[in-house]
Amino acid sequence: GAVVSQHPSRVICKSGTSVKIECRSLDFQATTMFWYRQFPKQSLMLMATSNEGSKATYEQGVEKDKFLINHASLTLSTLTVTSAHPEDSSFYICSAPPATGEGKLFFGSGTQLSVL
Amino acid sequence: AQRVTQPEKLLSVFKGAPVELKCNYSYSGSPELFWYVQYSRQRLQLLLRHISRESIKGFTADLNKGETSFHLKKPFAQEEDSAMYYCAPRRAGGFKTIFGAGTRLFVKA
């Protein structure tokens, strides 16, 4: 099956610094990838849709200047949390749908971000 | 507004008992419905989708457009079914998927 690789799996940073999370589709091309955020014991909240070659589409309430998304190639999307603060601490998950996957999503293993 | 409701946060059943995880949705147009599962210490993965009308690991789900429901069922639960289950609709023909709050299924021996 399709594989989505997400790195790092865990990151701890100081308040005010920026953190970059990578999401790669290993054996398929993805013109679209999705970034979700998950708080403890809560569901996945869609943050944005990453589009290869164009700007990301952000969900209502998500600050695009805080969460920078770059879809540099057909296999790589990055999420940068800029000037991170403790309230940004969360579990971030990326997903991608293979073109021939009939709409199903494959997920990365997630990144646990802790901002001190 | 697009909304998906999973009313039970936790469902605990004994091994061999039937299980039903409820999902109701409010979605414009005719969405496609999916169930995703997350086992302990594993990533989220697709369990089944309504368009396939398939049975995976003994689970089935019927889309009821009249009741806007997509309940997940299994006649005889197994311990290895213990996991977090998410109902997830998406717009037909698209990829953007939203997730319900999830139901944690605990199957007791």
Side-chain angles (χ1 to χ4, degrees):
Chain A
V3 177
V4 175
S5 175
Q6 185 174 344
H7 292 282
S9 58
R10 184 180 297 272
V11 58
I12 301 173
C13 69
K14 292 182 178 180
S15 186
T17 60
S18 295
V19 174
K20 180 184 285 187
I21 303 170
E22 291 188 349
C23 181
R24 294 181 185 272
S25 55
L26 296 187
D27 49 3
F28 65 97
Q29 294 182 333
T31 56
T32 302
M33 292 185 179
F34 299 97
W35 287 96
Y36 292 87
R37 183 173 181 176
Q38 186 177 33
F39 291 103
K41 299 185 179 180
Q42 294 189 31
S43 185
L44 286 77
M45 183 192 76
L46 180 63
M47 298 175 64
T49 303
S50 175
N51 304 299
E52 190 271 335
S54 63
K55 292 182 179 180
T57 305
Y58 291 82
E59 295 300 302
Q60 190 173 11
V62 178
E63 300 177 60
K64 60 181 180 181
D65 294 330
K66 158 68 80 172
F67 301 100
L68 299 180
I69 291 173
N70 182 27
H71 200 134
S73 72
L74 288 171
T75 59
L76 174 64
S77 174
T78 59
L79 169 67
T80 301
V81 184
T82 62
S83 186
H85 289 282
E87 57 266 30
D88 299 324
S89 298
S90 189
F91 194 61
Y92 294 87
I93 306 171
C94 72
S95 70
T100 57
E102 298 178 292
K104 63 183 178 183
L105 297 175
F106 290 90
F107 289 84
S109 54
T111 298
Q112 181 64 53
L113 170 63
S114 298
V115 184
L116 304 178
Chain B
Q2 302 161 357
R3 190 168 62 247
V4 54
T5 303
Q6 293 181 248
E8 304 126 336
K9 284 190 175 181
L10 173 66
L11 189 60
S12 183
V13 301
F14 283 102
K15 176 183 174 181
V19 62
E20 181 180 52
L21 288 76
K22 292 184 168 55
C23 171
N24 288 89
Y25 63 92
S26 173
Y27 208 97
S28 59
S30 297
E32 296 178 2
L33 275 296
F34 298 78
W35 276 98
Y36 285 86
V37 60
Q38 187 168 28
Y39 300 101
S40 179
R41 288 185 287 277
Q42 294 186 28
R43 68 185 67 191
L44 205 59
Q45 59 186 285
L46 177 70
L47 179 63
L48 58 78
R49 50 194 166 179
H50 90 271
I51 56 174
S52 299
R53 302 185 67 81
E54 57 200 344
S55 174
I56 303 295
K57 299 184 178 181
F59 284 97
T60 59
D62 290 323
L63 179 62
N64 187 321
K65 293 184 178 180
E67 297 181 356
T68 60
S69 68
F70 188 55
H71 304 326
L72 183 68
K73 301 177 184 179
K74 184 169 182 176
F76 308 103
Q78 302 299 313
E79 289 182 74
E80 54 266 29
D81 296 329
S82 296
M84 194 74 179
Y85 292 81
Y86 295 96
C87 180
R90 72 174 183 92
R91 179 176 57 84
F95 292 117
K96 178 179 169 180
T97 303
I98 62 173
F99 287 81
T103 297
R104 180 165 295 282
L105 174 64
F106 181 56
V107 182
K108 298 176 286 188

